[in-house]
């Protein structure tokens, strides 16, 4: 194990099972030194890792919970979409009722397929989630319309002169 500036290096081989315990110790040490803590009692906040449209379950997104706890039935906003958590699956595909900080979960109950990298935020009620979603979708539509300025013959003529 080597310490260089702020980066810790550990020799690891998953095939040979070498250094796995050292790696876990170093991750915990780094988290302790950086004082990384998350409050599990807060409403959840996370990031969408991937999303897809499942034929049987509808829009499904894998969410990495950064802080707080997601529970089944929580209203949420992610990107321009809103919804209510209908079900959650852990990394092994088993249904779970809640997910705490640093847990990746598949969330069902979205109104559309979000983009990877969008934020996932649990809000107080469904009405507020829909309002936030409407505002975001309106802003997105306005920004795309403003970028889509078409070139007319008059514009072209003025550019030539």
């Amino acid at each position: 194990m080597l310490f260089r500036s702020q980066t810790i290096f550990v020799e690891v081989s998953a095939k040979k099972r070498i250094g796995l315990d050292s790696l876990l110790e170093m991750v915990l040490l780094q988290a302790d030194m950086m004082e990384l803590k998350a409050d599990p009692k807060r409403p959840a906040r996370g990031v969408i890792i991937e999303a897809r449209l499942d034929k049987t379950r509808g829009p499904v997104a894998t969410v990495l919970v950064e802080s707080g706890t997601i529970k089944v039935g929580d209203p949420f906003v992610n990107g321009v979409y809103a919804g209510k958590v209908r079900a959650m699956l852990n990394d092994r595909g088993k249904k779970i009722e809640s997910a705490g900080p640093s847990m990746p979960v598949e969330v069902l109950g979205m109104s559309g397929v979000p983009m990877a990298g969008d934020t996932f935020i649990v809000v107080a009620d469904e009405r507020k989630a829909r309002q936030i979603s409407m505002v975001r979708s309106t802003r997105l539509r306005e920004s795309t319309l403003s970028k889509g300025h078409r070139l007319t013959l008059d514009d072209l003529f003025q550019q030539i002169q």
Side-chain angles (χ1 to χ4, degrees), residues 60-123:
V60 178
T62 303
V63 177
L64 179 60
V65 182
E66 293 176 339
S67 65
T69 301
I70 303 175
K71 298 178 209 86
V72 173
D74 282 348
F76 63 86
V77 177
N78 57 346
V80 295
Y81 300 109
K84 186 175 180 179
V85 179
R86 284 189 294 139
M88 284 191 299
L89 304 169
N90 66 6
D91 57 338
R92 296 195 171 121
K94 291 189 176 186
K95 282 192 173 185
I96 57 174
E97 293 296 315
S98 65
S102 77
M103 281 188 69
V105 289
E106 282 191 347
V107 177
L108 287 82
M110 293 169 208
S111 60
V113 181
M115 298 290 291
D118 282 347
T119 57
F120 180 95
I121 303 168
V122 171
V123 293

Side-chain angles (χ1 to χ4, degrees), residues 12 19 22-23 55 63 67 69 71 92-93 101 104 111-114 120-121 123-124 133 138 141 156-157 159 161:
V12 177
S22 300
L23 176 65
K55 290 180 182 178
V63 177
S67 65
T69 301
K71 298 178 209 86
R92 296 195 171 121
S111 60
V113 181
F120 180 95
I121 303 168
V123 293
S133 171
T138 303
R141 187 173 57 245
L156 186 61
F157 182 70
Q159 285 180 3
Q161 289 185 349

Side-chain angles (χ1 to χ4, degrees), residues 123-155:
V123 293
D125 58 8
E126 284 184 75
R127 191 170 57 117
K128 186 173 183 178
R130 282 193 302 271
Q131 287 174 344
I132 294 170
S133 171
M134 292 287 283
V135 168
R136 287 182 177 181
S137 62
T138 303
R139 284 184 189 162
L140 179 67
R141 187 173 57 245
E142 288 174 355
S143 69
T144 56
L145 288 175
S146 68
K147 288 179 185 174
H149 182 268
R150 295 182 184 188
L151 185 66
T152 63
L153 287 175
D154 292 332
D155 295 336

